[in-house]
Amino acid sequence: MKARKKYGIKSMNYLWGGMILVGVIYAAFTGNINAVTNQALASAKEAISLCITMAGAMAFWVGIMRIAEHQGILEKTAQKMNPILNFLFPSVPKSSPARSDIASNIVANVLGLGWAATPAGLSAMKQLKKLDARTGYATDAMCDFLILNISSLQLIPVNIIAYRTEYGAVNPVAVVGPAILATCVSTGAAILFIKLRHLLSSSR
């Protein structure tokens, strides 16, 4: 597993390195090397500015999620979501800590807080893995959770709103409606796929 991961990282390094090298060589032959240099410096400045903006938004919303966690709001939300969790993850015992982590991840994703959803998602994966004694294999519940997580139902796309605000959009929140529609479709497709996979597995 570690060897495959190391090989994958090296492959990506070669890919990106090769793309940069080809770009620089092409710019040199076409007389645009100064434009490449200027754009690299401008992009670096823009990246720092964007990081600062996103760090503020991230700190705010992650803090809100942390307060909700300490006040027991997330735990109560997880209890309210038991019917949904039973439907989506019937193989996960009600006593498993994974259920609380899954609920926290779903809530954070629905609110568009991808940064806050990540720690809960990683914790959920670890807890789901503990339910299976096999090593080196992803369980059905882990696969289902990953599919659902990627579909990412969102009511408030905080990330995109922050990006649009940073780049001077006239109406940064104009994406809320389309985002809700698109993520509802993707999440519906994810749930349909999960249930069809379960049905086909049980019929074998």
Side-chain angles (χ1 to χ4, degrees):
M1 182 68 71
K2 290 183 179 179
R4 288 198 299 268
K5 182 178 180 181
K6 185 177 180 180
Y7 177 77
I9 294 173
K10 288 181 66 176
S11 299
M12 290 301 297
N13 289 340
Y14 289 139
L15 175 63
W16 285 106
M19 291 171 62
I20 293 171
L21 183 61
V22 169
V24 171
I25 293 173
Y26 179 80
F29 276 104
T30 57
N32 293 316
I33 193 68
N34 289 334
V36 171
T37 302
N38 293 335
Q39 189 58 43
L41 294 174
S43 297
K45 179 181 178 181
E46 184 179 343
I48 295 298
S49 176
L50 182 61
C51 284
I52 293 173
T53 300
M54 298 307 293
M58 179 180 69
F60 174 76
W61 287 107
V62 170
I64 293 294
M65 290 297 291
R66 184 65 65 182
I67 292 172
E69 181 182 354
H70 285 301
Q71 293 299 317
I73 297 175
L74 292 182
E75 184 177 352
K76 293 178 181 178
T77 303
Q79 294 174 355
K80 296 290 185 181
M81 290 178 61
N82 272 334
I84 298 175
L85 296 179
N86 291 338
F87 173 72
L88 294 175
F89 304 98
S91 63
V92 179
K94 293 183 178 180
S95 59
S96 173
R99 293 173 70 91
S100 177
D101 291 326
I102 292 172
S104 298
N105 178 270
I106 292 175
V107 170
N109 272 327
V110 166
L111 296 177
L113 310 178
W115 318 290
T118 300
L122 293 175
S123 179
M125 280 294 190
K126 291 179 181 178
Q127 294 297 333
L128 290 173
K129 184 58 184 170
K130 292 180 180 179
L131 299 177
D132 195 308
R134 297 178 301 169
T135 58
Y137 292 91
T139 65
D140 286 344
M142 291 172 69
C143 293
D144 293 345
F145 176 63
L146 180 61
I147 294 168
L148 188 65
N149 193 272
I150 292 173
S151 70
S152 189
L153 174 63
Q154 291 188 10
L155 299 181
I156 310 173
V158 175
N159 286 1
I160 303 302
I161 292 174
Y163 288 137
R164 287 170 57 83
T165 300
E166 173 65 16
Y167 288 108
V170 177
N171 185 10
V173 298
V175 296
V176 171
I180 292 175
L181 178 60
T183 56
C184 281
V185 171
S186 64
T187 301
I191 294 174
L192 180 61
F193 175 81
I194 290 171
K195 288 304 174 182
L196 285 176
R197 191 175 68 83
H198 286 177
L199 184 62
L200 292 174
S201 299
S202 60
S203 62
R204 290 177 182 175

